[in-house]
Amino acid sequence: MAQPRILILGAPGAGKGTQSATISDHFDVEHVTTGDALRSNKQMDISHLDLEYETPAEYMDQGELVPDEVVNAIVDEALSSADGFILDGYPRNLEQVEALEGMTDLDVVLALDVSEDELVHRLTGRRMDPETGDIYHLEYNPAEDPAVEERLVQREDDSEETVRERLRVYRENTEPVLEYYGDKGVLERVDGEQAPDEVWEDVRAVIENA
Ligand code: AP5
């Protein structure tokens, strides 16, 4: 396989961003993430689309999905310039699956499995470095450099209440996406509850054996 086209699925907090960073470095593919793209454009004016809200921020801060027409356009644009990629955070419903199938084929579809209690613990303890985008956790992956520790911030949607809503939205909208790829016989499941290095070993094996 030259430059693999990889899709990573999993609930909020399953470790998609953590593993995608390593996948992107190791396989030299672009990390295409709708979450980061939307966070960089949270105040984008989408009032011309005549939707419920006028910016992505209002959907995201409540843990709801940003409408498909906004997200599909972001992914279409990002994939058109990518050779290989690791796609993270998309598709999140069956309509987005259909849109993705019109954009590209996939070489690998993998999902990280993590229990709900662990997801809540990971998300409420997550901290982000606003300068580098690196992901930390207060307990599992604390910053060692005091200068980094001081500038870490919590994502606005990582409060426990919003995390619970994100998990509900995931069960309702995104679990059918995993079922879809499972029924097609292409879904590779990885135990995401192991330590990050162990998850990475399994993820790497899945991609190399594709
Ligand atoms: P998005 O940014 O995609 O968030 P998410 O899918 O909810 O996923 P997260 O980034 O929260 O978790 P992750 O799986 O990447 O975990 P991480 O590696 O950080 O989306 C945010 C919002 O944008 C959505 O709610 C929606 O509003 C909107 N949006 C995005 N895409 C959309 C779409 N397609 N359609 C519509 N709307 C969309 O890890 C979590 C924590 O756990 C970290 O602290 C990490 O250090 C720790 N950790 C990771 N792995 C391990 C491990 N193995 N052991 C212990 N700790 C670990």
Side-chain angles (χ1 to χ4, degrees):
M1 198 192 312
Q3 293 289 84
R5 294 162 297 183
I6 308 159
L7 170 61
I8 190 164
L9 297 165
K16 303 182 298 295
T18 300
Q19 295 300 325
S20 293
T22 313
I23 293 168
S24 169
D25 283 349
H26 183 85
F27 290 100
D28 192 22
V29 290
E30 193 163 330
H31 183 191
V32 176
T33 154
T34 46
D36 286 356
L38 288 166
R39 269 185 292 282
S40 305
N41 294 284
K42 269 183 99 170
Q43 302 306 332
M44 174 172 61
D45 182 2
I46 52 173
S47 57
H48 58 286
L49 295 173
D50 205 17
L51 301 163
E52 189 179 358
Y53 300 119
E54 298 191 344
T55 63
E58 288 155 284
Y59 296 94
M60 297 172 79
D61 292 347
Q62 297 178 65
E64 306 304 325
L65 295 184
V66 176
D68 292 344
E69 47 263 72
V70 177
V71 184
N72 291 342
I74 289 173
V75 176
D76 200 12
E77 160 96 33
L79 295 188
S80 68
S81 59
D83 212 355
F85 55 80
I86 170 69
L87 180 57
D88 159 15
Y90 180 99
R92 269 173 139 95
N93 59 32
L94 292 172
E95 291 72 26
Q96 293 182 9
V97 169
E98 202 183 327
L100 178 62
E101 287 184 341
M103 297 175 208
T104 185
D105 293 328
L106 298 167
D107 299 307
V108 184
V109 182
L110 63 91
L112 302 177
D113 289 321
V114 177
S115 65
E116 181 146 340
D117 284 351
E118 175 67 8
L119 293 170
V120 173
H121 187 62
R122 285 188 188 179
L123 289 173
T124 52
R126 172 167 57 188
R127 296 294 182 272
M128 310 297 298
D129 183 339
E131 282 186 19
T132 63
D134 289 344
I135 306 168
Y136 293 88
H137 190 279
L138 292 177
E139 182 185 331
Y140 298 139
N141 181 24
E144 279 160 19
D145 179 346
V148 173
E149 192 185 11
E150 201 164 306
R151 65 175 186 244
L152 295 183
V153 294
Q154 186 171 29
R155 250 171 63 174
E156 283 171 17
D157 58 351
D158 276 348
S159 67
E160 180 156 352
E161 190 191 351
T162 309
V163 163
R164 298 266 176 211
E165 176 60 9
R166 287 163 61 198
L167 292 172
R168 188 197 66 72
V169 168
Y170 174 81
R171 279 192 298 274
E172 186 177 310
N173 295 276
T174 314
E175 278 183 355
V177 172
L178 273 75
E179 274 165 36
Y180 172 82
Y181 287 114
D183 290 347
K184 272 181 93 174
V186 297
L187 184 66
E188 299 281 354
R189 304 198 84 118
V190 170
D191 175 4
E193 209 149 321
Q194 311 171 84
D197 289 356
E198 293 168 327
V199 178
W200 162 240
E201 286 309 317
D202 288 357
V203 163
R204 188 172 68 168
V206 164
I207 297 169
E208 284 176 351
N209 292 330

